Amino acid sequence: MCRFSLAVLCSLILLLATSTADAAPADLSGMYRCQGTSDQGTPYSGVVEIKQVRKGYQLTWTVDKTKYAGIGFIHDGYLSVAWTVKTVNGTAIGVLLYKVKEDGTLEGKWTDPSLNGVYDETLTPIKGDRTI
């Protein structure tokens, strides 16, 4: 039930994207280094590719050998993202909110279906592979 409710919430947020998304001040497309805190309290790192698609964005995280997929949109200086990952129990869905900083860094907070906490994640543009 919790996963269904989270999926419905994510869907509603993303449906609003077409009517409420602001024009992005700059294209966020490119490659980023990712650093964050896992739901186990341990640090993780990886890379994230962000692609602009119409009025939104597609994101692909690669952390160790695990791939996560997400979609999102920008509103009032924040990139709002719903993400998924395949697990042994099915597909996990989560949400993430990044503050778009002037230097191109994205500072974020995320949670997953367990709702046991809110965790940090920062994306730093990889120089030479980012449109500013």
Side-chain angles (χ1 to χ4, degrees):
M1 185 66 174
C2 182
R3 285 188 183 176
F4 176 75
S5 297
L6 187 56
V8 170
L9 176 63
C10 291
S11 297
L12 289 174
I13 290 170
L14 295 173
L15 285 174
L16 291 174
T18 58
S19 62
T20 62
D22 290 339
D27 183 1
L28 299 178
S29 296
M31 297 297 294
Y32 292 77
R33 294 195 196 293
C34 170
Q35 294 184 308
T37 305
S38 77
D39 56 352
Q40 305 298 311
T42 58
Y44 64 84
S45 62
V47 294
V48 178
E49 181 178 16
I50 299 178
K51 293 180 183 178
Q52 186 171 21
V53 179
R54 292 181 282 285
K55 294 183 179 184
Y57 289 93
Q58 290 179 338
L59 292 84
T60 304
W61 293 258
T62 304
V63 178
D64 294 322
K65 293 181 182 180
T66 304
K67 289 206 181 265
Y68 301 78
I71 59 172
F73 63 92
I74 292 180
H75 182 75
D76 286 342
Y78 289 88
L79 175 61
S80 177
V81 178
W83 59 265
T84 65
V85 64
K86 294 199 183 301
T87 70
V88 294
N89 298 323
T91 300
I93 301 169
V95 294
L96 200 151
L97 183 65
Y98 293 109
K99 171 69 176 158
V100 180
K101 308 296 273 186
E102 286 186 27
D103 66 357
T105 300
L106 304 176
E107 291 182 357
K109 300 280 187 184
W110 66 273
T111 194
D112 62 11
S114 72
L115 299 174
N116 287 330
V118 176
Y119 312 99
D120 296 320
E121 180 171 279
T122 300
L123 304 185
T124 306
I126 296 174
K127 300 297 180 197
D129 195 53
R130 168 104 185 348
T131 305
I132 297 181

